[in-house]
Amino acid sequence: MYMQKQQYDYQLQQSVAVRRFKHDLVNHIGVLRELMNEKKTEEAKEYIDTIWNIQYEFDLKIHTGDSFIDVIVNYYLYLAIKGNIEFVVLGKLTEKMPLEMFDITTLIGNILQNAVEAAIKADVPKIRVEFIEHKKEIFIVVSNSVAERINARNDFFMTSKKDKENHGFGLKNIVSTVEKYHGECYMELIEENGEALFKISIAIPTAKAEEKEE
């Protein structure tokens, strides 16, 4: 619920900015009209470029094929940019994730929140998100740089935060959500180009696969 509120607040800010821009749009058009009437084409082009750059800020930069995932991923892209973290998304879905919206937030939100918190501490902060479709499964693979090795116990990667009683639920919630949809989850520490990365791979059966089983 906290993550949903964060994402909602971000979208609300974007919505307010869009409404302000639309409110002034008549004035912008009026200025352009006067510039064109006075044949000041260069000034008009510069003004158009300015307006174009402003509206570009409102657009979703990443499109995954699932509009709800887009909201979540673009929110964490926004956080990554603020934290100077390289954020790359590869692949695109041709069908929506067969998860309820609450579960998508729990799954994707926790994965990316953990990735941002870990990557920002690394010497070379980076996050890579991959969406891969197969006939019966959708794979979500997220890799992020880490500052140090993480302790593993009972197949769970333990939290590095001091308040362990009230933290560490993120990974457990991820696993619980995956199990709810009869999927699979695998976490590992890997080395890529000499850099330590935490990698989480998730497979969720598609709606088509579930229909065939029925």
Side-chain angles (χ1 to χ4, degrees):
M1 290 176 67
Y2 175 69
M3 282 188 292
Q4 284 181 318
K5 183 182 183 304
Q6 285 181 306
Q7 293 155 21
Y8 171 77
D9 288 343
Y10 170 68
Q11 289 300 109
L12 187 62
Q13 290 173 7
Q14 292 293 89
S15 178
V16 170
V18 169
R19 289 201 301 272
R20 285 177 179 170
F21 177 73
K22 286 184 176 179
H23 179 268
D24 292 337
L25 195 56
V26 173
N27 296 328
H28 294 315
I29 293 173
V31 171
L32 283 172
R33 181 182 177 185
E34 288 305 310
L35 288 173
M36 295 305 294
N37 286 340
E38 295 176 20
K39 301 188 185 306
K40 296 181 178 179
T41 54
E42 288 304 314
E43 288 90 338
K45 287 179 181 178
E46 289 179 9
Y47 201 87
I48 290 171
D49 287 339
T50 301
I51 295 173
W52 187 265
N53 290 333
I54 292 172
Q55 69 85 31
Y56 175 75
E57 294 298 317
F58 307 139
D59 291 341
L60 292 177
K61 308 299 186 297
I62 297 171
H63 299 276
T64 64
D66 185 305
S67 58
F68 192 72
I69 293 179
D70 288 349
V71 172
I72 301 171
V73 172
N74 279 276
Y75 168 67
Y76 283 99
L77 169 64
Y78 162 74
L79 293 184
I81 292 172
K82 284 180 63 178
N84 293 315
I85 301 170
E86 179 185 325
F87 193 96
V88 177
V89 177
L90 305 172
K92 196 167 184 177
L93 302 174
T94 59
E95 61 177 289
K96 290 186 176 182
M97 286 287 290
L99 278 70
E100 295 176 10
M101 282 197 263
F102 183 88
D103 293 325
I104 289 176
T105 300
T106 300
L107 183 65
I108 307 295
N110 272 300
I111 291 173
L112 294 181
Q113 183 181 43
N114 289 343
V116 168
E117 289 177 356
I120 203 167
K121 299 173 185 176
D123 293 333
V124 183
K126 60 177 65 175
I127 297 171
R128 184 175 65 234
V129 183
E130 299 174 74
F131 293 97
I132 306 164
E133 278 188 341
H134 283 267
K135 291 181 179 179
K136 295 184 178 181
E137 292 174 309
I138 292 174
F139 291 91
I140 303 168
V141 183
V142 178
S143 306
N144 62 267
S145 49
V146 292
E148 57 186 18
R149 293 189 66 84
I150 306 166
N151 295 323
R153 186 178 71 193
N154 297 330
D155 295 328
F156 281 104
F157 286 81
M158 308 304 292
T159 180
S160 60
K161 296 176 181 175
K162 292 180 180 179
D163 183 9
K164 288 181 168 55
E165 285 188 15
N166 295 311
H167 291 96
F169 292 110
L171 291 176
K172 293 178 182 177
N173 287 342
I174 291 168
V175 173
S176 177
T177 302
V178 171
E179 289 177 347
K180 177 180 176 181
Y181 291 90
H182 311 292
E184 296 180 358
C185 179
Y186 184 68
M187 307 174 205
E188 59 183 329
L189 281 165
I190 63 172
E191 190 172 297
E192 190 175 280
N193 299 323
E195 296 176 334
L197 299 177
F198 174 70
K199 180 178 179 182
I200 181 167
S201 304
I202 289 168
I204 301 289
T206 63
K208 293 177 182 178
E210 291 175 356
E211 288 173 5
K212 287 181 180 178
E213 287 180 3
E214 292 177 0

